Each structure stands twice: as structure tokens, then as C-alpha cells.
Amino acid sequence: MEYVDPIKDIKSINKIKEILKRQSQRDLLLFVLGINTGIRVSDLLSLRISDVSDGKEIKEFIYINDLNNGADSKNSNEQKAYFLNNSVKKELRKYFSQHDFTECDFLFKSKKNNQPITRQQAYRIINSAAKEAGIEGKIGTHTLRKTFGYHAYRKGIAISIIMSIYNHHSSAETLRYLGIERGQKQLIKVDVNL
């Protein structure tokens, strides 16, 4: 996997949102859900409508089986909960108002068939929007996960919680992953709502 960067600038995040909003509500939802939850792109693409909605209301959490805890882990089939904040719920409501879905439909359904969009398509969506927004650096689907962690850390979420989400073994590993140098002075805001 190629190394990618988080999007550190809020103005750039908002610019990408505007570009994706003009393009497709599905693509905007992919971006917003990714940067607000830190869910891996492979897990995002496998989500179904029933994972985010009970048919009447949007759920508070998405539950995903976490199979990547490592071979030495006792909890190799642990279920992780990912909180759906107001930004995500707003985009989900818009998306649901524009389409008729059944509970077994994929959330990020391809326009060509009943399958989810591919990782390559998700990459093209994120990468081209970032380029159009004038963002320098390496941007890919993994950027969503890194952007979530970077902003969560900057807004005061404990590094131990972020480590747990990423299944990292040390805070140094997580800080390196987020592109934060050890000893780098960080101004912390306690408010995560991208």
C-alpha cells in the first residue's frame, strides 16, 4: 500500500465536500462517513443500508467485525462500534431522500449493478476531488481514515482511543501514522464534528 497523507486543513476538507456535493450525494457521503468515523475503506464499501438505518431512523453506531487484531490477539473476531455524528447523519438523510433503497442494498451501490463501488472507484472519487480542490501530497482512500485520526487527535481525543480504533500497539506508531512528529507542539481543540 502506498503511503498517503491526512487532509490537515479544514478549508481543504470543506472544498472537497463542495466538489463532491456537485458530483454525487453518494460520493459526498463516502467522504463524510470516512473522515468522521475512521472506518477502513474496505469496510465502508461493504456496508449495507441495514448497517446504518433500522428502516425508520439512522442508527447511532455502525458495528463492524474487526478481524485484523493480529494473530496473537485473543479477540480476533471483536466487533467495533463507530459513532455516527450529526455531520454523517445529515448526509445520510439527504442520500436516503434521493434514492429508494431496501435494507439489504449496499450503501455505496454502483450505478452499473447492485454491487458496491470498487476500491479503485472510491480511490478515483477521493483523489480527483482532492486534486480539483488543489490539495498537494498523496491522497487516496486511506486518507479518509488518517484525516479522521489527525483531527480527532487535534480536537482532544486521547491517543489511546485512536490507537484502539487503528489497532496500533503504541502511541508513537499512531502519531507517526497521522503524520505528527514526537514533541511537535499541538494546539488541541476539544470538538470533533467535521
Side-chain angles (χ1 to χ4, degrees), residues 110-147:
S110 169
K111 293 171 183 157
K112 298 175 186 171
N113 56 40
N114 285 327
Q115 295 301 305
I117 61 173
T118 63
R119 285 180 68 103
Q120 293 79 10
Q121 180 64 17
Y123 171 83
R124 282 191 292 270
I125 290 164
I126 302 308
N127 190 270
S128 71
K131 279 190 170 109
E132 189 177 333
I135 296 172
E136 310 249 331
K138 297 185 183 209
I139 303 295
T141 53
H142 213 62
T143 295
L144 304 179
R145 191 164 157 84
K146 286 188 172 192
T147 299

Side-chain angles (χ1 to χ4, degrees), residues 78-99:
E78 171 185 315
Q79 204 174 54
K80 280 196 171 181
Y82 295 88
F83 178 67
L84 298 180
N85 67 18
N86 289 333
S87 294
V88 172
K89 288 180 179 180
K90 177 181 140 196
E91 299 309 334
L92 278 165
R93 284 187 198 97
K94 283 183 191 170
Y95 188 48
F96 292 160
S97 73
Q98 295 174 4
H99 302 280

Side-chain angles (χ1 to χ4, degrees), residues 99-113:
H99 302 280
D100 285 328
F101 291 109
T102 65
E103 66 180 23
C104 61
D105 282 339
F106 285 103
L107 184 60
F108 299 106
K109 193 162 86 165
S110 169
K111 293 171 183 157
K112 298 175 186 171
N113 56 40

